[in-house]
């Protein structure tokens, strides 16, 4: 059991507006982080807070270095990578590094000194590496200057190694811990020169994660584990048809059940039972008579949604994402057009830790302890539901038991705050059941894609039209983001240039979209639209190669001459799988490549299909992320991303019946298990000069590489996943 | 009602149908054992009962006898880490970590009855769900822990009930 920092709001508010390069006072530091460190043993529990050197760095008298982490850790390992970037320039001893999580209210009070805390789109490292390294370098300058001042020598005569400062002419030494307090008063340098990555000693190295021990001895406290004295548990249920409302509920029927305190309506669409334990609250919720107004969507089904999408495949549209030459004319004139329709189903994020938040509402302030990928938005949602100014609210961010984009939404934050408001001064832990998590997701949207292409007599691709018909996430979460191209996020992996650029040169290319927005709530699901766009394009390119009677790699090479970085990872994956050599008897291969979230990625798969049963033997993945901050964590991300990307290909899908999602738990939403895991070989080949993400891009190449291998094995072209719906025998 | 958990006898007052998971988490305050599905599918709630992995989320507490020894992740490596925990830390197996208590309890139970599991044994026996996709390191971790146990002539019996 941990000691929660429950007194934050009682302390005087002392917002510091100093620049991030300058340290704040002890008092402000204490306000910001509280006097105790509740979230990890590694965060110096019980030790007094030292003055910070600057916003990113606190050095304790015992030379322990506390690095502040503003972005959210949810398994992707960026917490460690971000600390490596600060530590690299700080020149501290990595073995003495601990971490501390930043809170969004504190960030606002200090003029966003820690910049954006939002964590999504594989941006944690690529979006903050520069100012983190500057923060580390500034702290180093200040610590060295403090030592030089004490010695009355020029700072230029001092050097530092692993937190030990040496005055070269005299050989005198001191440590960061000894000069940290004095460094707090040093003016930060105006100009900072960052190291060339070739000089890195901590960044770029496969160091161990900072947060592993507490994950193997059970001591890590997730939101679901967090406890405050006198806390009650709320278990909610919302209308299973999205957009429907709560008609009535009979609280009397459950009010005498053991432990039940109250039944609370939440907005117009949900109800929560509040009890002394989760189990008692859940039992009462299961027994609670509830009636819903299901609304106009109660008859919607997967079939009716698919029909609307299918209409979109041939509808007229002005939304164009990529255009070269005149594909429609070329296709109209072509002797032969190769055409195929693909689809990708709804998916739930299904993180292992269900939605949860602990909130305590008081008339003078409201606090949340809990998981979110968007601390600033969570704080805003908390304050809005609490009906209090943001200045008197705070979110104590926590590491998350898996999120994958789900906690970019703050629906559960609002719910927790609404319940807490009904119980002033009583901490409330809102905890969703798995069933609620499955039904009330923010689902990876459905799309279909019609691919049409023509080739000349030599099998050279002449024209390609890719029509995407499907659901827009932006239309739900940020309609202002929809512009003249339609929803720009729907073109991920197909853009003319940039972080999501297509890797093929086609003389006549048209990528366009028709938005079809069913009532099922969409959201950003790890990999987002890159997942299906890569599947559509890479499987269809494979179809064209076979139609042209050409090797799929050779066929792609001809289209990729002007895309050397795309091609380099594809060649690396092909080489890794041994594309040049014949596979073993019964083994068949497929390849795929894409650029997404700033990184170039490719995969090559080996499969066998025996009596209709698929076995994925091996996948070789190649990633060029520009710079690799922690290669062993990149390896973990890539291997893990395949589990996320292969689950929808193998078995997981969310279907709709009577307006509601049908899958309520893991028995029907079947995600990949260890028995299906292929051997994974990860090639990381950073070529420098750009910063790409690694959490998401490789998800998108796993499925098409395997599907192309299945075609090689069986002659069956699977265009609608999951393959559990297809007989492979 | 009395429970023998991590080598101690604990008295709990709770409805008989309460799953062992929630007694461990809410009555006894040990939160290393996790709720994932509540249907005995995902394995996040795995504990040992008399040394054998059991999913605690659907097991009524009334079905556990006082003489049965329950071990949770908190009781697995009390004096020192169980070899599975040691290896897990060395290989950085966890990502988000939420499923890993259950994964470690399942792995240590497997090794207790099969000292040298093959890849196929591991693939068949470890059915815990990990959404982060730690599976390759889980396989490597179990095989490495098996070697370490064999070298030490140890069967992994270091938990609080051993």
């Amino acid at each position: 059991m941990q000691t929660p920092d429950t007194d934050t709001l009682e302390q005087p508010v002392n917002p510091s507006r100093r620049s991030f390069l300058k340290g704040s006072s002890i008092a402000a530091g204490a306000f910001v982080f509280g006097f105790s460190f509740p979230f990890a043993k590694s965060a110096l529990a019980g030790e007094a807070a030292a003055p910070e050197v600057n916003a990113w760095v606190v050095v304790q008298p015992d030379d322990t270095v506390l690095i502040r982490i503003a972005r959210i850790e949810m398994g992707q390992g960026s917490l460690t990578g971000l600390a490596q970037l600060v530590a690299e320039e700080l020149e501290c001893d990595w073995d003495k590094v601990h971490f501390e999580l930043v809170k969004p209210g504190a960030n606002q009070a200090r003029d966003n000194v820690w910049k954006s805390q939002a964590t999504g789109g594989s941006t944690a490292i690529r979006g903050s590496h520069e100012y983190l390294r500057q923060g580390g370098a500034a702290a180093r300058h200040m610590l060295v200057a403090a030592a030089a001042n004490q010695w009355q020598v020029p700072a230029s005569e001092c050097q530092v190694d692993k937190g030990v400062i040496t005055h070269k002419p005299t050989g005198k030494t001191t440590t960061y811990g000894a000069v940290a307090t004095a460094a707090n008063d040093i003016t930060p340098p105006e100009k900072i020169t960052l190291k060339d990555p070739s000089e890195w000693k901590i960044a770029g190295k496969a160091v161990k994660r900072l947060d592993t021990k507490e994950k193997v001895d059970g001591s890590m406290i997730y939101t679901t584990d967090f406890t405050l004295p006198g806390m009650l548990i709320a278990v909610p249920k919302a209308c299973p048809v999205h957009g429907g409302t709560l008609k009535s509920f009979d609280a009397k029927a459950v009010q005498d059940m053991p432990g039940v305190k109250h039944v609370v309506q939440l907005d117009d669409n949900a109800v929560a039972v509040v009890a002394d334990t989760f189990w008692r609250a859940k039992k009462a919720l299961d027994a609670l008579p509830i009636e819903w107004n299901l609304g106009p969507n109660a008859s919607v089904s997967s079939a009716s949604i698919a029909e609307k999408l299918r209409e979109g495949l041939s509808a007229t549209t002005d939304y164009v994402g990529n255009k070269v030459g005149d594909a429609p004319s070329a296709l109209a004139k072509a002797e032969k057009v190769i055409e195929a329709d693909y689809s990708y189903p709804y998916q739930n994020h299904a993180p292992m830790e269900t939605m949860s938040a602990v909130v305590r509402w008081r008339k003078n302030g409201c606090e949340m302890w809990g998981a979110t990928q968007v601390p600033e938005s969570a704080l805003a949602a908390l304050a809005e539901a609490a009906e209090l100014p943001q200045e008197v609210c705070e979110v104590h961010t926590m590491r998350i038991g898996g999120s994958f984009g789900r906690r970019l939404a703050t629906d559960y934050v609002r719910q927790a705050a609404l319940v807490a408001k009904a119980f002033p001064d009583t901490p409330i832990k809102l905890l969703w059941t798995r069933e609620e998590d499955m039904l009330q997701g923010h689902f990876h949207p459905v799309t279909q894609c019609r691919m049409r292409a023509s080739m000349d007599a030599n099998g050279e691709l002449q024209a390609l039209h890719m029509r995407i018909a499907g659901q827009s996430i932006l239309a739900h979460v940020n309609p202002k983001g929809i512009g003249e191209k339609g929803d720009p996020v729907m073109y991920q992996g197909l853009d003319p240039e940039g972080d999501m650029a297509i890797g093929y040169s086609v003389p006549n290319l048209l990528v366009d979209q028709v938005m079809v927005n069913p009532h099922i709530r969409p959201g950003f699901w790890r990999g987002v639209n890159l997942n299906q766009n890569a599947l559509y394009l890479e499987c269809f390119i494979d179809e064209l190669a076979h139609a042209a009677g050409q090797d799929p790699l050779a066929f792609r090479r001809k289209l990729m001459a002007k895309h050397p970085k795309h091609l380099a990872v594809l060649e690396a994956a092909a080489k890794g799988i041994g594309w040049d050599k014949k596979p073993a008897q019964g083994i068949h291969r497929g390849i795929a490549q894409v650029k997404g979230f700033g990184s170039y990625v490719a995969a090559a798969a080996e499969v066998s299909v025996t009596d209709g049963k698929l076995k994925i033997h091996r996948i070789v993945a190649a990633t060029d992320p520009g710079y690799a901050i922690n290669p062993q964590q990149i390896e973990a991300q890539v291997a893990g991303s395949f589990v996320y990307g292969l689950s929808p290909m193998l078995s997981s899908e969310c279907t709709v019946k009577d307006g509601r999602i049908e899958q309520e738990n893991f028995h029907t939403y079947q995600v990949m298990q260890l028995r299906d895991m292929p051997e994974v070989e990860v090639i990381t080949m950073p070529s420098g000069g750009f910063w790409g993400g690694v959490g998401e891009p490789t998800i998108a190449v796993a499925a098409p590489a395997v599907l192309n291998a299945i075609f090689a094995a069986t002659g069956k072209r699977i265009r609608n996943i999951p393959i559990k719906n297809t007989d492979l025998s | 009602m009395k429970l023998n958990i991590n080598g101690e006898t604990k008295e709990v007052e709770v409805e008989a149908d309460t799953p062992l998971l929630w007694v461990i988490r809410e009555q006894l305050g040990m939160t290393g054992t996790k709720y994932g599905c509540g249907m005995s599918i995902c394995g996040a709630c795995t504990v040992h009962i008399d040394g054998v992995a059991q999913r605690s989320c659907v097991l009524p507490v009334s079905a556990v006898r006082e003489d049965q020894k329950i071990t949770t992740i908190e009781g697995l490596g009390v004096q020192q880490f169980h070899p599975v925990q040691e290896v897990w830390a060395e290989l950085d197996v966890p990502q988000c970590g939420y499923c890993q208590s259950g994964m470690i309890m399942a792995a240590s139970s497997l090794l207790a009855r099969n000292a040298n599991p093959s890849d196929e044994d591991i693939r068949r026996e470890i059915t815990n769900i990990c959404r982060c996709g730690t599976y390759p390191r889980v396989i490597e971790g179990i095989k490495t822990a098996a070697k370490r146990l064999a070298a030490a002539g140890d069967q992994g019996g270091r938990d609080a009930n051993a």
Side-chain angles (χ1 to χ4, degrees):
Chain A
M1 198 63 56
Q2 65 187 6
T3 313
D5 63 341
T6 52
D7 299 324
T8 315
L9 289 175
E10 282 73 9
Q11 291 167 27
V13 176
N14 182 14
S16 164
R17 301 273 169 188
R18 296 206 218 173
S19 107
F20 83 99
L21 297 176
K22 177 66 187 167
S24 75
S25 68
I26 294 174
F31 162 71
V32 169
F33 295 104
F35 285 108
S36 63
F37 300 87
F39 299 128
K41 282 187 205 164
S42 56
L44 307 175
E47 291 180 37
E52 62 182 36
V53 179
N54 64 22
W56 304 103
V57 176
V58 178
V59 184
Q60 304 277 15
D62 68 354
D63 291 327
T64 302
V65 175
L66 196 60
I67 294 179
R68 269 112 180 223
I69 304 294
R71 306 278 182 152
I72 298 300
E73 173 63 41
M74 47 198 161
Q76 83 279 36
S78 58
L79 183 152
T80 303
L82 296 168
Q84 283 176 265
L85 288 165
V86 175
E88 179 61 55
E89 291 289 345
L90 182 60
E91 296 279 4
C92 63
D93 182 351
W94 177 253
D95 291 338
K96 292 179 178 160
V97 169
H98 296 252
F99 65 89
E100 187 173 65
L101 305 181
V102 167
K103 297 167 193 168
N107 195 15
Q108 280 184 12
R110 288 181 66 181
D111 218 8
N112 290 316
V113 68
W114 289 285
K115 315 277 185 185
S116 171
Q117 295 194 253
T119 309
S122 296
T123 56
I125 284 174
R126 67 190 172 115
S128 58
H129 63 88
E130 191 162 0
Y131 58 76
L132 286 181
R133 287 184 290 152
Q134 286 173 347
R140 183 189 71 231
H141 278 278
M142 293 158 74
L143 288 157
V144 171
N149 283 355
Q150 286 183 4
W151 290 329
Q152 301 284 306
V153 301
S156 59
E157 290 180 4
C158 300
Q159 64 180 25
V160 58
D161 180 44
K162 289 189 175 174
V164 178
I165 304 163
T166 303
H167 179 233
K168 284 182 284 184
T170 61
K172 277 189 291 197
T173 65
T174 187
T175 66
Y176 276 1
V179 296
T181 302
N184 180 256
D185 293 325
I186 300 285
T187 305
E190 284 179 12
K191 187 168 177 293
I192 293 168
T193 306
L194 297 178
K195 289 184 197 174
D196 186 88
S198 63
E199 301 168 52
W200 285 349
K201 292 176 283 193
I202 299 170
K205 299 295 181 284
V207 301
K208 295 279 193 299
R209 294 174 69 122
L210 292 171
D211 58 350
T212 294
K213 182 181 174 291
E214 53 197 315
K215 292 176 179 173
V216 303
D217 66 10
S219 64
M220 177 156 153
I221 299 297
Y222 299 83
T223 309
T224 40
D225 306 325
F226 188 78
T227 301
L228 289 172
M231 187 177 78
L232 296 175
I233 312 294
V235 183
K237 183 183 279 186
C239 183
V241 177
H242 300 170
T245 55
L246 179 67
K247 188 178 185 179
S248 66
F249 60 93
D250 181 8
K252 284 198 194 77
V254 300
Q255 68 188 17
D256 294 330
M257 288 178 72
V260 172
K261 306 290 181 191
H262 202 36
V263 184
V264 188
Q265 177 167 344
L266 306 174
D267 289 324
D268 67 350
N269 73 331
V271 61
V273 173
V274 181
D276 58 351
T277 70
F278 170 82
W279 181 250
R280 285 170 160 179
K282 181 193 178 297
K283 266 185 83 173
L285 184 66
D286 290 344
L288 181 70
I290 307 173
E291 287 193 63
W292 307 104
N293 289 313
L294 297 175
N297 298 308
S299 60
V300 172
S301 67
S302 284
S304 69
I305 292 171
E307 184 52 38
K308 286 222 167 66
L309 264 59
R310 201 169 300 119
E311 288 165 13
L313 292 177
S314 52
T316 54
T317 183
D318 294 326
Y319 290 151
V320 173
N322 197 345
K323 186 171 183 292
V324 180
D326 187 349
S329 297
L331 289 166
K333 287 184 218 148
E335 264 181 45
K336 187 181 173 199
V337 173
I338 299 169
E339 185 172 314
D341 291 353
Y342 285 79
S343 71
Y344 198 102
Y346 280 120
Q347 300 293 334
N348 189 299
H349 300 84
M352 293 312 299
E353 183 183 27
T354 59
M355 296 308 106
S356 48
V358 177
V359 174
R360 182 176 58 200
W361 189 95
R362 290 170 169 166
K363 64 179 188 304
N364 62 345
C366 184
E367 287 172 277
M368 164 180 149
W369 292 260
T372 173
Q373 291 181 238
V374 281
E376 297 93 338
S377 304
L379 177 62
L382 182 74
E384 187 186 337
E387 298 186 52
L388 289 166
Q390 277 195 36
E391 290 68 30
V392 296
C393 298
E394 182 59 293
V395 173
H396 305 260
T397 57
M398 296 177 79
R399 286 167 291 160
I400 315 180
S403 198
F404 315 112
R406 176 60 182 85
R407 290 179 185 82
L408 292 167
T410 57
D411 44 352
Y412 59 96
V413 173
R414 178 174 177 79
Q415 284 189 340
L418 291 174
V419 178
K421 192 162 178 288
F423 289 85
D425 299 321
T426 301
I428 298 290
K429 181 193 289 179
L430 180 98
L431 178 54
W432 286 21
T433 62
R434 173 60 57 192
E435 287 75 15
E436 188 71 356
D437 214 74
M438 287 299 302
L439 295 179
Q440 300 299 337
H442 291 238
F443 293 82
H444 176 80
V446 280
T447 59
Q448 294 182 12
C449 184
R450 176 160 293 166
M451 309 289 303
R452 302 180 74 231
S454 63
M455 295 188 283
D456 67 13
N458 299 320
E460 303 283 335
L461 182 58
Q462 292 301 303
L464 175 64
H465 178 198
M466 190 166 178
R467 160 60 63 84
I468 299 162
Q471 188 165 2
S472 160
I473 304 168
L474 284 193
H476 177 73
V477 304
N478 180 23
K480 285 182 197 153
I482 291 172
E484 59 178 18
K485 291 179 168 186
D487 175 353
V489 182
M490 283 174 73
Y491 300 115
Q492 287 180 326
L494 307 169
D495 288 341
E497 57 190 13
D499 283 354
M500 303 274 188
I502 193 167
Y504 300 118
S505 302
V506 185
N508 298 285
L509 174 70
L510 178 63
V511 182
D512 57 10
Q513 73 174 239
V514 169
M515 260 185 264
V516 179
N517 292 320
H519 73 290
I520 298 295
R521 195 186 299 121
F524 298 98
W525 189 88
R526 189 177 182 185
V528 196
N529 293 314
L530 194 69
N531 293 315
Q532 71 272 12
N533 289 347
L535 188 155
Y536 300 154
L537 183 58
E538 286 304 288
C539 288
F540 190 65
I541 290 283
D542 207 67
E543 291 199 48
L544 296 176
H546 285 283
Q550 294 178 26
D551 172 79
L553 176 59
F555 185 81
R556 283 177 171 82
R557 274 185 191 132
K558 290 189 295 181
L559 301 169
M560 298 176 75
K562 290 179 183 165
H563 305 275
K565 293 204 180 214
H566 287 81
L567 183 58
V569 290
L570 182 65
E571 297 280 12
K575 188 179 173 202
I577 205 86
W579 192 264
D580 290 350
K581 301 176 206 88
K582 212 174 156 217
Q585 182 73 25
I587 301 287
H588 301 271
R589 292 173 180 154
I591 51 172
Q593 64 81 24
V594 78
K595 182 182 184 188
F597 306 95
S599 290
Y600 302 85
V601 298
E606 285 191 339
V607 311
S608 62
V609 180
T610 311
D611 300 328
K613 196 170 179 313
L614 169 71
K615 181 172 170 59
I616 309 169
H617 294 265
R618 192 161 77 100
I619 303 185
V620 178
T623 300
D624 178 0
Y627 296 99
I629 301 308
N630 189 328
Q632 67 103 350
Q633 281 306 306
I634 293 175
E635 186 204 347
Q637 281 303 291
V638 171
S641 79
F642 286 174
V643 173
Y644 222 70
L646 292 175
S647 287
M649 193 217 78
L650 291 169
S651 53
S652 63
E653 62 175 334
C654 295
T655 53
V656 182
K657 188 182 178 193
D658 299 331
R660 66 184 76 188
I661 294 291
E662 289 190 277
Q663 290 73 20
E664 296 193 31
N665 209 314
F666 289 120
H667 63 305
T668 43
Y669 189 67
Q670 295 168 339
V671 298
M672 190 171 173
Q673 294 197 16
L674 193 146
R675 63 169 178 264
D676 299 316
M677 189 74 207
E679 279 183 39
V680 176
E681 183 184 330
V682 176
I683 301 167
T684 305
M685 41 191 286
S687 60
F690 64 97
W691 290 75
V694 294
E696 298 176 271
T698 43
I699 304 178
V701 284
V706 170
L707 289 169
N708 291 339
I710 292 172
F711 177 80
T714 65
K716 292 193 180 197
R717 182 60 67 181
I718 296 166
R719 302 188 183 96
N720 305 293
I721 58 168
I723 63 167
K724 71 169 183 184
N725 301 331
T726 301
D727 183 2
L728 292 177
S729 60
Chain B
M1 186 179 309
K2 282 182 180 164
L3 292 174
N4 183 329
I5 187 157
N6 296 334
E8 290 180 42
T9 301
K10 298 277 187 183
E11 182 80 38
V12 292
E13 278 187 43
V14 64
E15 289 86 70
D17 67 345
T18 309
L20 178 62
L21 168 67
W22 294 104
V23 176
I24 291 170
R25 286 180 58 80
E26 299 196 305
Q27 267 75 29
L28 300 176
M30 288 184 275
T31 55
T33 310
K34 303 300 188 207
Y35 165 69
C37 70
M39 286 183 76
S40 193
I41 302 169
C42 77
C45 65
T46 305
V47 298
H48 293 175
I49 296 183
D50 289 336
V52 178
Q54 290 255 359
R55 294 187 174 176
S56 62
C57 70
V58 294
L59 182 68
V61 66
S62 55
V64 184
R65 294 191 317 270
E66 192 184 329
D67 64 339
Q68 288 183 302
K69 291 172 177 170
I70 304 162
T71 306
T72 70
I73 187 74
E74 290 89 350
L76 185 68
V78 182
Q79 299 304 323
Q80 63 182 103
F81 268 6
H82 184 283
V84 170
Q85 291 171 303
E86 272 174 24
V87 169
W88 245 240
E90 287 165 20
L91 297 180
D92 254 359
V93 173
Q95 290 187 29
C96 85
Y98 191 85
C99 73
Q100 294 296 329
S101 294
M103 198 70 88
I104 289 165
M105 297 309 280
S108 54
S109 174
L110 169 64
L111 288 171
R113 45 179 215 285
N114 180 352
N116 186 24
S118 65
D119 274 31
E120 284 315 302
D121 292 338
I122 296 168
R123 286 169 183 276
R124 191 179 56 250
E125 298 287 333
I126 303 295
T127 55
N128 298 45
I129 292 173
C130 171
R131 290 290 281 153
C132 297
T134 59
Y135 300 138
R137 291 192 187 184
V138 168
I139 296 173
E140 189 188 347
I142 292 174
K143 289 162 74 172
T144 307
K147 281 182 205 147
R148 196 161 298 179
L149 283 162
D154 190 332
Q155 293 304 306
R158 295 188 192 186
D159 65 52
N161 283 318

